[in-house]
Amino acid sequence: MTRITVTVDGVAHEEEVEPRLLLVHLLRDRLGKIGTPVGCDTSNCGACTIMMDGRSVKSCSVLAVQADGSELLTVEGLADGPTWHPMQRAFHEEHALQCGYCTPGMIMAALDLLKDDPDPSDEAIRHGLEGNLCRCTGYSNIVKAVRRGARAMSDQEVTT
Amino acid sequence: MIPASFDYVRASSVDEAVEVLADAGEEAKVLSGGQSLLPLLRLRLAYPSVLVDVGRLPELRGVRDEGGHVHIGATTTHDEIIRSPVVRAGCPLVALATATVADPAVRHRGTFGGSMAHADPAGDLPAVAVALDMEFVLRSTTGERVVTATDFFTDYLETALEPGEILTAVRVPKLGEGWGYHYEKFHRTAQAWAIVGVAAAVRVTVSESGARHVAEARVGLTNMGPTPLRATAVESAAVDAELPPVPHATANGSPSTARLPSANGSGPHDTLREAASLADGDTSPTADLHATPDYRRHLARVLTHRALTHAAATV
Ligand SMILES: Cc1cc2nc3c(=O)[nH]c(=O)nc-3n(C[C@H](O)[C@H](O)[C@H](O)COP(=O)(O)OP(=O)(O)OC[C@H]3O[C@@H](n4cnc5c(N)ncnc54)[C@H](O)[C@@H]3O)c2cc1C
Ligand code: FES
Ligand code: FES
């Protein structure tokens, strides 16, 4: 067992973990952060995407011990109390989800993209989300949602 | 799935890492970004006894201009490579190929050295390594040795790394002025591995009349055999090939590939096409879900022509 400390959505945690524990399982099974789903066994789908020290990572492809000392942000840390984050609202308003399984990862990957490119073109959005698969929507509404979310964020001067 | 149990050591120095590896024997594995190793552990395709994590060692990370070559620390991430002004200026082909690797989240964790040590024939960076004659710096408790790219990649997922040895850095010789670069990757979806890829560097000479010719060419092939390959026959045959006039620059200053003359038909392009048609000589591509060996051979010829043409057009 290895002792690690991580900050998740603003709250510090100290945990004893087996080295083989995946970060996504630490989040879901130990810390109750079930907003971050697991969609595959091959690191392809991106459903598990979170921010680690400010940049997107696939939390199924990081060991909890590798995250020791890191600041983590999951989709559950985005809303401000009952008020959704502008990107969450944009996904709702553009009907950018059907089953919703890919949505947490899509939102986190979109927020990562906006850090480099706050006003992305449709092509930049499609490239920025290339690591996130959606089996339902056909992506068009997701691209619209990211554009709408980006505009709302710059209007409200929200970063991440 | 959940990986099988293993011990974990986060090394605090390269010296400590090689000592732990030496003691642990053949069942130990180095962990860098984990973007190839963790999927293998999750699928239970690997059962290491201990993982030695070198991912956070500052001495292995970062890019430096060392005059004749660019020094790339093994744990420098793909994302850091793409953003590095030193890489873009000193070895742009590395940045171009790295930008096609995986997706942004994987590029935030995956490392340059990890990609080389993993030695997947479909990996994009090994072909660049052989094309640019990169040198690999390997360290163990008995000291340091340097091997060339062609000696580093020995077989399918096999390298010159001995048990107990780690890759600390890769040196990328700079090619100098007058070279253009392109990495042409053929894959079915954006984040996917290459079915075939071609890394090309072309030195172009321009005569007083404005005629453009190939002076020198370098070509590396991805996924055309168990190791990355250098297409030396193409390189020799491309020398002196006449190139089309410089394409007009677009408003933002980069050449517009849309204006490149069609690669079909007769004209000055033919020598380059003939050279590219040699690309699948001495290759041994495999069959898999995505392609037959014959289809890969066809792709190698077509993509080599595209890669050379686009590389020359950037000069
Ligand atoms: C969804 C997905 C898509 C991908 N697509 C592509 C792609 O299109 N093109 C491409 O090229 N790659 C692709 N990759 C692989 C990616 O580039 C990995 O980052 C890279 O192959 C491994 O780097 P790493 O640092 O994560 O290595 P790890 O996973 O940490 O290690 C990989 C192997 O190298 C060994 N190793 C690592 N570092 C060292 C060292 N310093 N010394 C000795 N041995 C070492 C390890 O023991 C292990 O065997 C993809 C990966 C994923 C998950
Ligand atoms: S669960 Fe599919 S990439 Fe992490
Ligand atoms: S909404 Fe179902 S996978 Fe995207």
Side-chain angles (χ1 to χ4, degrees):
Chain A
M1 295 292 244
T2 308
R3 179 172 293 275
I4 61 164
T5 53
V6 285
T7 303
V8 182
D9 299 337
V11 179
H13 299 270
E14 197 169 324
E15 292 285 322
E16 289 273 340
V17 298
E18 264 191 282
R20 64 170 168 168
L21 183 72
L22 303 175
L23 181 55
V24 71
H25 292 140
L26 174 77
L27 292 171
R28 292 178 58 84
D29 302 346
R30 299 277 283 269
L31 306 179
K33 292 281 178 183
I34 54 171
T36 301
V38 181
C40 74
D41 251 339
T42 53
S43 307
N44 284 102
C45 77
C48 64
T49 305
I50 64 164
M51 298 280 186
M52 181 164 154
D53 295 327
R55 295 315 307 225
S56 63
V57 300
K58 294 180 174 179
S59 62
C60 71
S61 305
V62 179
L63 297 171
V65 287
Q66 287 178 292
D68 186 20
S70 300
E71 179 104 26
L72 308 174
L73 177 68
T74 78
V75 73
E76 294 188 34
L78 294 179
D80 181 7
T83 312
W84 284 355
H85 185 280
M87 190 59 79
Q88 289 176 301
R89 203 159 45 240
F91 269 65
H92 173 69
E93 285 164 354
E94 292 290 354
H95 191 56
L97 55 142
Q98 288 173 32
C99 79
Y101 210 84
C102 68
T103 312
M106 287 288 178
I107 288 177
M108 300 314 283
L111 294 176
D112 183 74
L113 164 70
L114 298 186
K115 292 192 173 195
D116 290 327
D117 187 355
D119 183 21
S121 64
D122 284 7
E123 204 194 332
I125 294 170
R126 286 178 183 275
H127 276 292
L129 301 182
E130 69 189 347
N132 296 74
L133 305 180
C134 177
R135 299 288 82 159
C136 303
T137 64
Y139 300 101
S140 291
N141 287 357
I142 293 176
V143 174
K144 283 189 209 157
V146 175
R147 241 192 295 125
R148 180 195 277 248
R151 271 198 307 271
M153 282 170 66
S154 67
D155 290 350
Q156 298 168 33
E157 293 177 12
V158 177
T159 55
T160 301
Chain B
M1 277 201 300
I2 292 169
S5 292
F6 49 78
D7 291 330
Y8 172 83
V9 178
R10 186 187 303 145
S12 53
S13 67
V14 174
D15 287 341
E16 188 195 341
V18 292
E19 270 163 35
V20 175
L21 282 172
D23 291 344
E26 296 217 4
E27 302 306 310
K29 274 253 168 221
V30 178
L31 175 65
S32 184
Q35 300 303 291
S36 289
L37 192 50
L38 259 65
L40 289 178
L41 295 176
R42 288 177 73 197
L43 295 169
R44 299 227 174 171
L45 293 172
Y47 292 87
S49 57
V50 51
L51 292 189
V52 182
D53 187 353
V54 299
R56 294 194 189 190
L57 292 178
E59 41 184 328
L60 293 185
R61 194 148 188 165
V63 174
R64 290 196 300 272
D65 187 331
E66 295 197 331
H69 66 263
V70 175
H71 168 107
I72 302 181
T75 63
T76 311
T77 65
H78 298 313
D79 188 60
E80 287 162 346
I81 299 268
I82 298 169
R83 293 170 194 267
S84 162
V86 173
V87 171
R88 289 189 191 185
C91 47
L93 188 55
V94 173
L96 292 171
T98 305
T100 75
V101 169
D103 56 63
V106 171
R107 291 197 295 266
H108 289 144
R109 302 281 310 158
T111 67
F112 189 74
S115 286
M116 297 299 186
H118 189 56
D120 194 310
D124 299 295
L125 304 176
V128 180
V130 295
L132 297 183
D133 289 327
M134 292 186 197
E135 292 179 337
F136 289 69
V137 185
L138 316 183
R139 178 106 72 90
S140 68
T141 48
T142 56
E144 191 171 277
R145 63 187 181 117
V146 178
V147 300
T148 62
T150 31
D151 289 341
F152 182 76
F153 300 102
T154 53
D155 205 343
Y156 178 76
L157 302 181
E158 296 279 343
T159 68
L161 280 162
E162 298 285 347
E165 226 171 12
I166 67 170
L167 173 65
T168 58
V170 179
R171 297 177 189 147
V172 191
K174 292 187 195 166
L175 290 183
E177 295 299 305
W179 287 83
Y181 304 94
H182 189 76
Y183 186 68
E184 184 76 17
K185 175 170 177 171
F186 189 85
H187 52 174
R188 287 173 54 249
T189 57
Q191 68 163 209
W193 296 78
I195 295 174
V196 173
V198 180
V202 179
R203 186 161 68 83
V204 178
T205 50
V206 185
S207 72
E208 276 179 21
S209 65
R212 293 157 52 79
H213 288 89
V214 174
E216 247 180 292
R218 305 279 193 96
V219 179
L221 303 176
T222 298
N223 221 4
M224 286 299 290
T227 62
L229 297 171
R230 184 89 178 254
T232 46
V234 177
E235 294 178 358
S236 327
V239 173
D240 290 337
E242 194 178 342
L243 293 162
V246 192
H248 298 281
T250 51
N252 64 14
S254 63
S256 153
T257 47
R259 285 168 181 270
L260 288 172
S262 146
N264 297 319
S266 57
H269 242 96
D270 275 1
T271 321
L272 207 57
R273 179 172 283 279
E274 278 163 27
S277 73
L278 305 172
D280 64 320
D282 291 327
T283 64
S284 47
T286 55
D288 61 18
L289 209 58
H290 305 297
T292 60
D294 275 351
Y295 183 53
R296 284 204 159 85
R297 288 175 180 280
H298 168 77
L299 281 176
R301 298 189 292 266
V302 172
L303 302 180
T304 297
H305 184 250
R306 280 187 205 159
L308 289 168
T309 309
H310 289 320
T314 64
V315 182

